Amino acid sequence: MATHNFLWSFTKNCFTFGLIGLTISDRYASIVPVRGMSMSPTFNPKTNSFLGSMSDDYLLVEKFCLEKYKFSHGDVIIFRSPGNHKEKHVKRIIGLPGDWVGSPSSYDVVKIPNGHCWVEGDNPSSSMDSRSFGPIPLGLVRGRVTHIVWPPQRIGAVEGKIREDRLSSS
Amino acid sequence: MRKWKLIVKEALSQTLTVAKFLCLLHVTDNYLCSPTLVYGPSMLPTLNLTGDVVLSEHVSHRLGRVGPGDIVLVRSPLDPTKFVTKRVGGVEGDRVTFLEPRISDTCRTFVVPKGHVWIQGDNIYASNDSRHFGPVPYGLIQGKAFFRVWPPYCFGSLGP
């Protein structure tokens, strides 16, 4: 009988913690690891193939921005990939609705439609971003990255970097 | 002093109960099913103009089981704070043929790209849908409408 009681209270506690954790991570903040080189040097400045995922950066993501969908240039965001809804990507916002974005390789200038944004990685040589799939709807955004929380020597805020060179002023 | 301690303890446990309840509400609302008020002319023969309350479930889009013919709630690609209710016309790889809006006698065929869905209103004359803004990413789907609860004379399932 005692083990039965213990099991019951244990399940109940697990359930409660699950509920509270899920709510907090949906509405307020969550912690996610970042893999790959597309945002180096901001995240994962050097990937160590020996240690593998041990050297990944962990990011604190806030979700308050999802109430109004107000973003500014240079914010680092987490969004669902437009090609595969199960993947999430982390990139930097370059352009917001109404901006004109030019790409250095081709001479095209693209106007960003309403409700979309232009995202790019900080490492242009190995990043799959708006240069290949075009502007993405803001509805895919799942949060804004504010801090790096792990590893300990890299703890700190992530600041917005505006890259004026990519925006055409017209 | 002891009395105060008791009051604080009581208040804390009450707050915890309320917080747990709100969390449960949030989780059911986001992961199981939630009521939504839909209105507007775009789904006209199926849903009324003046406003229906439909129940939408949030399980099948997470499992990837949204197919042609389902009525889905989609975050509008033009304004992320709004939701639109439309019918899925095709999933990735499908070939969709539609009448061009405004020029109503030319047909166009379009292949839906990977990870996208084609959404279209039932009332093709008054609907702002994939014919205007193109296919939408699957990640924008927020739920699948399956049951109508209001108005009372339309109470019932929204099946095909």
Side-chain angles (χ1 to χ4, degrees):
Chain A
M1 201 60 210
T3 45
H4 187 259
N5 261 341
F6 170 74
L7 271 182
W8 171 242
S9 73
F10 180 72
T11 342
K12 216 164 76 175
N13 279 340
C14 277
F15 184 68
T16 316
F17 278 116
L19 280 186
I20 294 175
L22 208 56
T23 310
I24 289 176
S25 76
D26 269 6
R27 296 186 80 115
Y28 307 115
S30 66
I31 289 174
V32 293
V34 51
R35 282 192 202 90
M37 294 285 287
S38 73
M39 282 297 280
S40 85
T42 315
F43 309 131
N44 289 353
K46 47 181 185 292
T47 31
N48 190 337
S49 56
F50 194 67
L51 284 169
S53 59
M54 295 288 284
S55 59
D56 280 354
D57 284 354
Y58 283 75
L59 311 176
L60 180 70
V61 180
E62 61 110 348
K63 312 265 172 150
F64 290 105
C65 55
L66 299 182
E67 310 226 317
K68 296 236 171 76
Y69 283 93
K70 286 246 174 269
F71 296 97
S72 44
H73 294 97
D75 282 353
V76 180
I77 54 161
I78 300 253
F79 62 95
R80 289 216 179 109
S81 161
N84 180 357
H85 64 102
K86 289 186 189 115
E87 281 173 14
K88 284 183 187 166
H89 293 319
V90 49
K91 296 277 182 287
R92 196 182 286 281
I93 295 184
I94 302 294
L96 288 165
D99 290 342
W100 292 84
V101 174
S103 52
S105 50
S106 65
Y107 293 98
D108 288 356
V109 179
V110 184
K111 183 168 196 229
I112 298 170
N114 268 344
H116 287 63
C117 64
W118 188 271
V119 289
E120 274 183 30
D122 284 358
N123 181 7
S125 56
S126 78
S127 171
M128 164 97 174
D129 49 31
S130 281
R131 285 166 304 163
S132 50
F133 47 67
I136 60 157
L138 282 172
L140 291 174
V141 176
R142 299 307 333 144
R144 194 178 57 169
V145 176
T146 54
H147 292 82
I148 300 176
V149 291
W150 192 260
Q153 71 271 19
R154 292 180 39 75
I155 288 179
V158 175
E159 72 274 16
K161 243 191 330 191
I162 301 178
R163 286 165 63 192
E164 295 283 354
D165 55 313
R166 305 302 319 281
L167 287 176
S168 313
S169 54
S170 58
Chain B
M1 196 62 203
R2 174 161 295 183
K3 197 176 146 206
W4 279 108
K5 237 179 207 168
L6 272 177
I7 290 177
V8 168
K9 215 172 181 181
E10 180 67 23
L12 271 179
S13 87
Q14 293 287 342
T15 334
L16 198 66
T17 316
V18 173
K20 271 191 223 164
F21 176 71
L22 289 179
C23 288
L24 184 67
L25 207 65
H26 168 86
V27 171
T28 35
D29 210 55
N30 270 268
Y31 292 89
L32 290 175
C33 107
S34 65
T36 321
L37 174 68
V38 294
Y39 56 90
S42 74
M43 285 296 281
L44 211 72
T46 320
L47 301 173
N48 296 316
L49 182 68
T50 44
D52 289 0
V53 180
V54 295
L55 285 182
S56 55
E57 48 105 354
H58 306 277
V59 181
S60 46
H61 78 272
R62 283 175 211 278
L63 300 175
R65 296 210 179 150
V66 172
D70 290 342
I71 298 172
V72 287
L73 251 81
V74 179
R75 223 174 248 286
S76 166
L78 303 177
D79 181 356
T81 54
K82 289 201 181 111
F83 288 92
V84 293
T85 315
K86 300 277 183 254
R87 199 180 283 279
V88 175
V91 292
E92 59 180 31
D94 285 358
R95 196 174 278 276
V96 183
T97 308
F98 61 98
L99 285 173
E100 189 103 29
R102 292 179 291 269
I103 332 155
S104 59
D105 38 343
T106 46
C107 266
R108 276 186 60 196
T109 305
F110 192 91
V111 177
V112 182
K114 186 175 176 293
H116 286 62
V117 289
W118 186 269
I119 53 169
Q120 208 166 321
D122 283 358
N123 182 4
I124 60 165
Y125 301 106
S127 169
N128 195 5
D129 48 34
S130 281
R131 291 170 301 158
H132 299 83
F133 46 69
V136 295
Y138 190 95
L140 287 180
I141 297 179
Q142 301 291 317
K144 182 171 125 184
F146 72 106
F147 204 85
R148 172 157 43 186
V149 289
W150 192 264
Y153 57 87
C154 294
F155 186 87
S157 136
L158 280 172

